[in-house]
């Protein structure tokens, strides 16, 4: 029994829906249940975020989003299927319009309201997608409420697995063979809508497979699998045919294919196969199992828009708690540390954070006593991923290539299947290009 996830990138128009229907039919279980997890239509989540930020235009924006769903619905369904889905969409839209008006009038939102607004993207998509399937005489129905339970960390909520397992099982009680459920969103124990973070539908799909005991997940998207690099930026990028679980986790963590960083976590203690496959091209990546001697290099990933903050002082040398003080400052500022290091001389503590939040942290660090200086530089992190990095010769080859660039640091990732180089923002792309060539030479 499969979980099939339909990405937002492939939900643009009726031509996409035609292909999606065929793909769902291809994989749907003939006897048992098939769960289809849907993302919001392409661009809808971004549109809803804009509504929460540009509140003066909130009503206009949600009205465009509603019209887009109705227009698509009218192209992919007719008769009773259209009527029923239209009613369901309009009911959701009424609720959405009311909130849009409120935030416009109050000119205020909170993360909780933001998540509530974002939930409509996936909920409306569930209605539209299942109506399209029913119009093709496929036995499907929509589930418009969240199927997972989370805490109340709005914007990046944490899943509560045992409660989610109970909630997810309700999906199996539906009458139809195929049930279309919203990805990305959850609800708290007091029934407030939450979201699990951008790209979260991939995570919903693998999590449901774990919670429901389904052995297979198909993440259907616009690219033919996870590729050696982002194909939009690297013209020589190729599809990776197989990734081990640790390789996939490292790539997801670094943002490859804009996967949610937790996408592969549910596979850790379960035997689940995950396929990432293209809707338009037949290519795919299979994620399964661990490293073996055939696994060499698989891909690169680049994180841009980072700041390297170097805290320098002779006063921190040999003082227990110096690093803790820096970390504590980051915690107080609510800033996530992406990477950290300190030379054995202990004279500097380097931390890497997202550019967006860096000012909040640097100003607090500058207020700390005893520090000589707090330097800030624009950097990129370029990672190479592959089990082959455990092999000395391959690792040396990667290091040799990287050594022609000025590197601020080198660090190893999960079970040594990745290596990350920190370099200046200006050098990032060239370093990535050169390392990508090494990867393509060794990919099998
Ligand atoms: N290593 C990679 N392999 C494939 N795609 C990648 C990679 N890195 C970045 N991407 C980008 O991810 C995009 C697909 O992600 P996304 O738009 O979130 O898909 P979906 O909406 O189907 O989940 C592609 O358009 C591609 O540009
Ligand atoms: N719609 C959400 C969740 C998601 O997973 O979307 P997509 O499948 O398009 O990456 C987002 O844009 O973040």
């Amino acid at each position: 029994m499969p979980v099939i996830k339909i990405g937002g990138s492939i939900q643009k128009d009726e031509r996409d829906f035609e292909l999606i229907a065929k793909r769902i039919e291809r994989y749907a279980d003939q006897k048992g249940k098939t769960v289809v997890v849907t993302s919001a239509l392409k661009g809808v989540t971004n549109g809803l975020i804009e509504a929460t930020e540009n509140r003066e235009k909130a009503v206009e924006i949600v009205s465009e989003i509603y019209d887009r769903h109705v227009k698509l619905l009218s192209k992919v369904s007719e008769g009773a299927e259209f009527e029923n889905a239209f009613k369901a969409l309009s009911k959701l839209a009424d609720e959405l319009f009311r909130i849009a008006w409120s935030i416009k009038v109050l000119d205020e939102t909170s993360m909780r309201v933001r998540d509530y607004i974002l939930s409509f993207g996936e909920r409306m998509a569930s209605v539209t997608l299942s109506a399209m399937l029913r119009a093709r005489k496929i036995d499907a129905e929509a589930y418009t409420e969240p199927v997972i339970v989370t805490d109340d960390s709005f914007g990046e909520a944490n899943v509560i697995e045992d409660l989610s397992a109970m909630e997810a099982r309700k999906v199996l009680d539906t009458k139809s063979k195929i049930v279309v459920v919203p990805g990305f969103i959850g609800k708290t124990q007091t029934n407030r809508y939450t979201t699990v973070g951008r790209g979260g539908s991939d995570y919903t799909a693998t999590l449901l497979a774990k919670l429901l005991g389904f052995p297979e997940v198909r993440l259907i998207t616009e690219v033919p699998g996870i590729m050696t690099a982002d194909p939009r930026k690297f013209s020589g990028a190729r599809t990776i045919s197989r990734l081990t679980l640790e390789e996939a986790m490292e790539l997801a963590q670094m943002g490859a294919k804009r996967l949610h960083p937790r996408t592969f976590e549910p596979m850790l203690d379960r035997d689940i196969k995950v396929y990432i496959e293209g809707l338009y091209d037949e290519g795919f990546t299979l994620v399964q199992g661990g490293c073996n001697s055939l696994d060499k290099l698989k891909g690169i990933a680049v994180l841009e828009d980072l700041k390297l903050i170097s805290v320098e002082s002779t006063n921190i040398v040999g003082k227990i708690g110096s690093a803790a003080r820096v970390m504590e400052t980051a915690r107080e500022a609510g800033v996530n540390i992406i990477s950290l290091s300190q030379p054995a001389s202990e004279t500097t503590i380097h931390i890497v954070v997202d550019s967006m939040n860096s000012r909040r942290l640097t100003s607090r660090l500058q207020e700390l006593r005893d520090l000589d200086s707090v330097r800030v530089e624009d950097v990129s992190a370029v990672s190479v991923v592959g089990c082959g990095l455990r092999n000395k010769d391959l690792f040396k080859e990667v290091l040799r290539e990287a050594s022609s660039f000025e590197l601020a640091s080198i660090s190893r990732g999960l079970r040594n299947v990745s290596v990350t180089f920190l370099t200046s923002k200006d050098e990032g792309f060239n370093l990535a290009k050169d390392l990508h060539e090494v990867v393509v030479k060794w990919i099998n």
Side-chain angles (χ1 to χ4, degrees):
M1 295 194 286
V3 176
I4 304 171
K5 180 249 169 176
I6 307 298
S9 66
I10 51 167
Q11 298 192 56
K12 300 186 296 293
D13 52 33
E14 66 276 23
R15 283 184 301 274
D16 282 345
F17 269 48
E18 175 99 34
L19 296 173
I20 291 168
K22 285 190 186 142
R23 195 61 64 93
I24 291 175
E25 277 190 298
R26 187 197 292 178
Y27 294 130
D29 199 299
Q30 293 306 312
K31 295 189 200 97
K33 203 88 168 173
T34 297
V35 176
V36 174
V37 174
T38 186
S39 290
L41 305 192
K42 187 176 169 100
V44 164
T45 304
N46 287 345
L48 292 169
I49 291 174
E50 211 213 317
T52 66
E53 288 165 357
N54 191 354
R55 291 183 282 277
E56 187 55 39
K57 285 201 162 161
V59 177
E60 224 174 297
I61 294 170
V62 304
S63 150
E64 272 168 30
I65 288 173
Y66 169 63
D67 288 348
R68 203 176 138 197
H69 282 82
V70 173
K71 206 181 267 171
L72 182 58
L73 184 68
S74 70
K75 290 195 174 140
V76 297
S77 66
E78 55 187 13
E81 302 308 347
F82 173 82
E83 292 300 328
N84 290 336
F86 178 70
K87 267 189 219 146
L89 269 186
S90 305
K91 194 161 164 252
L92 286 170
D94 277 350
E95 206 180 321
L96 178 57
F97 277 123
R98 274 206 303 273
I99 316 163
W101 270 111
S102 314
I103 62 167
K104 180 177 173 172
V105 173
L106 297 171
D107 192 19
E108 205 176 272
T109 49
S110 61
M111 285 306 278
R112 182 184 143 197
V113 172
R114 183 181 187 266
D115 275 2
Y116 185 16
I117 291 179
L118 294 196
S119 76
F120 287 93
E122 269 66 15
R123 292 159 75 202
M124 286 171 125
S126 294
V127 173
T128 315
L129 187 53
S130 71
M132 178 277 286
L133 293 173
R134 274 199 311 277
R136 291 164 180 270
K137 308 283 174 254
I138 299 171
D139 182 23
E141 69 186 274
Y143 207 90
T144 54
E145 292 306 307
V147 289
I148 53 176
V149 181
T150 69
D151 66 9
D152 62 0
S153 310
F154 297 103
E156 218 151 301
N158 301 295
V159 171
I160 305 172
E161 281 209 13
D162 49 348
L163 298 180
S164 296
M166 285 197 290
E167 200 59 43
R169 263 180 238 123
K170 293 185 194 159
V171 167
L172 302 181
D173 296 335
T174 46
K175 281 199 254 88
S176 312
K177 276 196 172 147
I178 297 177
V179 53
V180 183
V181 306
F184 178 54
I185 64 171
K187 61 176 179 184
T188 65
Q189 291 179 69
T190 51
N191 284 324
R192 289 177 173 159
Y193 292 99
T194 57
T195 62
V196 295
R198 294 306 302 267
S201 303
D202 295 313
Y203 178 37
T204 311
T206 53
L207 185 69
L208 282 179
K210 174 180 175 178
L211 300 177
L212 299 174
F214 283 24
E216 185 182 300
V217 178
R218 303 239 166 213
L219 307 176
I220 319 285
T221 183
E222 66 176 351
V223 278
I226 300 183
M227 308 184 73
T228 49
D230 186 344
R232 289 195 192 183
K233 297 179 184 153
F234 296 82
S235 53
R238 289 166 44 181
T239 295
I240 306 165
S241 57
R242 176 183 168 268
L243 280 170
T244 67
L245 180 52
E246 48 271 69
E247 290 170 336
M249 285 175 87
E250 288 293 282
L251 280 170
Q253 200 63 43
M254 294 285 294
K257 206 245 130 226
R258 297 194 205 130
L259 288 161
H260 188 282
R262 294 209 162 131
T263 300
F264 300 105
E265 268 178 28
M267 297 174 72
L268 274 172
D269 47 3
R270 290 289 190 285
D271 192 13
I272 304 170
K273 282 187 196 169
V274 177
Y275 293 88
I276 298 96
E277 60 181 67
L279 182 71
Y280 312 114
D281 306 286
E282 285 288 316
F284 69 85
T285 301
L286 167 63
V287 180
Q288 190 188 27
C291 294
N292 66 45
S293 58
L294 293 175
D295 291 306
K296 302 285 190 269
L297 301 182
K298 300 294 177 68
I300 62 150
V302 187
L303 287 181
E304 290 165 321
D305 293 325
L306 304 177
K307 297 274 188 205
L308 170 65
I309 304 176
S310 304
V311 178
E312 294 175 344
S313 179
T314 46
N315 289 326
I316 58 178
V317 179
K319 278 211 183 130
I320 292 173
S322 298
R325 207 152 56 111
V326 174
M327 306 307 140
E328 187 55 26
T329 310
R331 197 189 63 78
E332 279 166 11
V335 175
N336 179 45
I337 296 177
I338 293 171
S339 168
L340 61 104
S341 63
Q342 178 187 285
S345 65
E346 299 184 36
T347 45
T348 311
I349 297 170
H350 301 285
I351 55 180
V352 179
V353 301
D354 205 280
S355 283
M356 233 166 44
N357 307 318
S358 64
R359 196 163 297 158
R360 246 187 6 244
L361 177 56
T362 39
S363 57
R364 283 180 186 235
L365 285 171
Q366 275 152 352
E367 284 165 16
L368 291 182
R369 281 182 299 113
D370 323 330
L371 303 181
D372 293 341
S373 76
V374 178
R375 274 192 301 116
V376 184
E377 292 159 72
D378 289 310
V379 291
S380 295
V382 182
S383 296
V384 177
V385 175
C387 294
L389 287 168
R390 293 168 172 184
N391 167 308
K392 233 174 18 194
D393 292 333
L394 256 181
F395 187 56
K396 261 198 237 158
E397 186 171 338
V398 170
L399 283 188
R400 205 176 310 122
E401 199 62 48
S403 65
S404 44
F405 293 81
E406 205 159 300
L407 302 172
S409 77
I410 302 174
S411 52
R412 304 296 301 263
L414 182 72
R415 296 178 199 150
N416 281 345
V417 303
S418 77
V419 56
T420 300
F421 302 100
L422 215 60
T423 190
S424 70
K425 185 186 164 100
D426 297 340
E427 296 253 66
F429 182 72
N430 290 332
L431 171 60
K433 215 164 66 139
D434 287 3
L435 290 173
H436 185 240
E437 277 169 26
V438 181
V439 168
V440 169
K441 187 172 128 197
W442 283 102
I443 193 157
N444 44 0

